[in-house]
Amino acid sequence: MSETNFDDARAMIEALTPSYPVYCMRAGVLAETAREFLERFPGRVLYAVKCNPHPIVLQALYDAGIRHFDTASLPEIAQVREMFSDTTAYFMHPVKARAVIKTSHDVYGVRHFVIDHPSELTKVMDETGGEGVAIIVRMATPHAGAAFDLSTKFGASPALATDLLRAVRDEGCQGGLAFHVGSQCLSPRAYRTALGLVGEVAEAAGTEIHFLDVGGGFPAAYKGVNTPPLEAFMDEITTGLATLNLRRDCTTMCEPGRAMVASSCSLVVQVQLRKEDQIYINDGVHGSLSEMVTGQLQMPVRLIRLDGTPSDSYMDFTVAGPTCDSIDMLPHPFRLPNDVREGDWIEIGQLGAYGSALRTQFNGFYPDTFVRLRDEPFLDSLNRVL
């Protein structure tokens, strides 16, 4: 893994002429998005580490003022707490191994745990003793058209959430409610709907809540998607919160991931072969581009050629990744100059979220080169040429 500074992707290519994929990080973008969430959200902003745990990302967010982190595993907790001793890690995964609960509590000082089932409450109480611990009940929410509906895997029904909230109170712990409307949610109203469910559960439980977590799901801008601005989501959240009878000291939280980091990184790949209207590149579905399949997301692309000027006529190309299987094909074409050829580079934008985090070592392909760029990210759907 390398890390060097360049003005832009073309300058990086001129210096390295890479035959391997390169992640191009923009720390300045991270600072801007972090500040926007910190200024707009009425409570604690927890960065969702799973979205992109690279040290460049965590350091840039910390430098911008992020002090709270949504963590889902012991390695994530350890990374955050060992990098920044003055931060708080929240164990937001609803299902945890007993040994992991104990270690996170005893070694790393975790005091906030999410559950969505009675057995998980028993595990947390057994392994922590409950003193000074906050237990937050994760609720399922209606499907709101998100790219990934997380309530199909996690979240208690309103009736079960009510019972769990009472049980947390009876254990003598501070209780809370949480939800997640789904990753890449394009409906601001989904948050107000979910907050209405929060009010119903809290009232049915007959107990006040100390924590209210509205989750993540805030969307990023992708090609062909009409993404509402962040303020639209914050307006719905603020309106929804105003309808609840919360304790004056109730802590509200959110867990942005994708919206905070997506535009902070692009990926430079190289064309290895052209077969008429199909090109083969050196990263793909098993590497950094899996969300183009699982989430049907389309990223902006642009061609970079060092020797000569590409054609100004464009056409659609089917794109294949580098692995030796038939699955490694992107579902949407790249629109590129019609004379694209072996050796050209393509910069793929909006890959700061779940790009490097989801890469695998299948077939021995594993992109692991990171550089810093000083330019702005590109978002235009008309694929530019550099």
Side-chain angles (χ1 to χ4, degrees), residues 3 39 43 85 92 181 186 231 265 274 285:
E3 180 188 325
E39 291 171 1
S85 61
M92 308 309 267
V181 297
L186 299 176
E231 53 263 32
C265 178
R274 174 178 175 175
V285 172

Side-chain angles (χ1 to χ4, degrees), residues 98 101 115 117-129 135 164 171:
R98 287 180 176 269
I101 294 171
I115 66 168
H117 191 271
S119 296
E120 204 68 17
L121 173 58
T122 299
K123 286 157 61 174
V124 173
M125 295 305 299
D126 286 349
E127 301 305 324
T128 69
I135 300 179
L164 286 171
E171 291 286 0

